[in-house]
Amino acid sequence: MGDAIAKDHVVEFHYTLFDTEGAELETTRNEKPAAILHGHRNVIPGLEAALTGRQAGDSFEVDIPTDQAYGQRRDDWTQRVSKKYFAKPKALKAGQITQLRLESGPRPVTVIKVGAKMVDVDLNHPQAGNDLHFAIEIVAVRKATPQELSHGHAHSGGHDH
Ligand code: ZN
């Protein structure tokens, strides 16, 4: 028996995210599993609660209501930002979901309008206002290292330092 998932553990897991109609929105199935430091708000509250107590090898599905996911949409939460904050400024188009590259880390936004130098974006998380459904497979569970605890995130997976 491996460790059960609890605070200060690193959890590696595959997930597939569906909307309430069952359409697949995103998945880690074709890449490395996601890696999080449990109990440190690395994921939405409903997903953290659903992971607690599980073990490597567990597979399960869970419904997460809006309030335990990305919260309600805020009307008119838009901003005009420089194109320099985007990885591929020339490819931007209205309606696209992409990431703003901020010093605090990437932030998903929806493009509203593209100008010559500036871009209008909707800062609501693309999944704000939605109930979500996840299919989860726990790949690995281990105790976090002191360095991971001090950084507040896992060093498994794609994290490079
Ligand atoms: Zn780190």
Side-chain angles (χ1 to χ4, degrees):
M1 296 282 276
D3 280 8
I5 296 171
K7 191 173 193 301
D8 297 342
H9 283 63
V10 169
V11 185
E12 293 181 39
F13 62 100
H14 278 295
Y15 71 86
T16 304
L17 170 61
F18 302 92
D19 67 16
T20 47
E21 264 92 62
E24 183 177 314
L25 299 174
E26 58 181 84
T27 183
T28 60
R29 282 287 168 191
N30 302 317
E31 44 196 280
K32 286 185 191 166
I36 60 149
L37 177 60
H38 196 70
H40 292 255
R41 295 170 156 233
N42 288 181
V43 290
I44 55 174
L47 188 52
E48 196 159 77
L51 290 169
T52 301
R54 307 276 183 172
Q55 297 183 331
D58 285 358
S59 290
F60 60 97
E61 301 198 14
V62 60
D63 287 307
I64 300 182
T66 307
D67 291 343
Q68 292 297 305
Y70 293 99
Q72 302 297 334
R73 292 192 77 79
R74 288 164 55 182
D75 288 338
D76 302 322
W77 195 21
T78 64
Q79 195 169 331
R80 182 162 290 177
V81 296
S82 166
K83 281 188 174 177
K84 72 179 182 182
Y85 291 111
F86 297 89
K88 294 179 181 166
K90 286 181 181 163
L92 291 170
K93 52 179 191 275
Q96 180 186 6
I97 293 170
T98 185
Q99 303 219 321
L100 267 182
R101 301 185 300 171
L102 304 175
E103 279 184 26
S104 54
R107 180 194 174 104
V109 295
T110 304
V111 176
I112 299 169
K113 189 174 155 213
V114 183
K117 291 187 174 145
M118 307 294 281
V119 182
D120 291 350
V121 295
D122 183 341
L123 292 170
N124 284 289
H125 189 281
Q127 296 308 328
N130 294 342
D131 295 332
L132 303 177
H133 181 87
F134 283 90
I136 307 278
E137 180 196 344
I138 311 292
V139 176
V141 180
R142 62 173 171 79
K143 288 194 171 63
T145 65
Q147 193 191 35
E148 287 172 320
L149 291 174
S150 75
H151 288 197
H153 54 230
H155 287 165
S156 300
H159 197 79
D160 54 353
H161 63 229

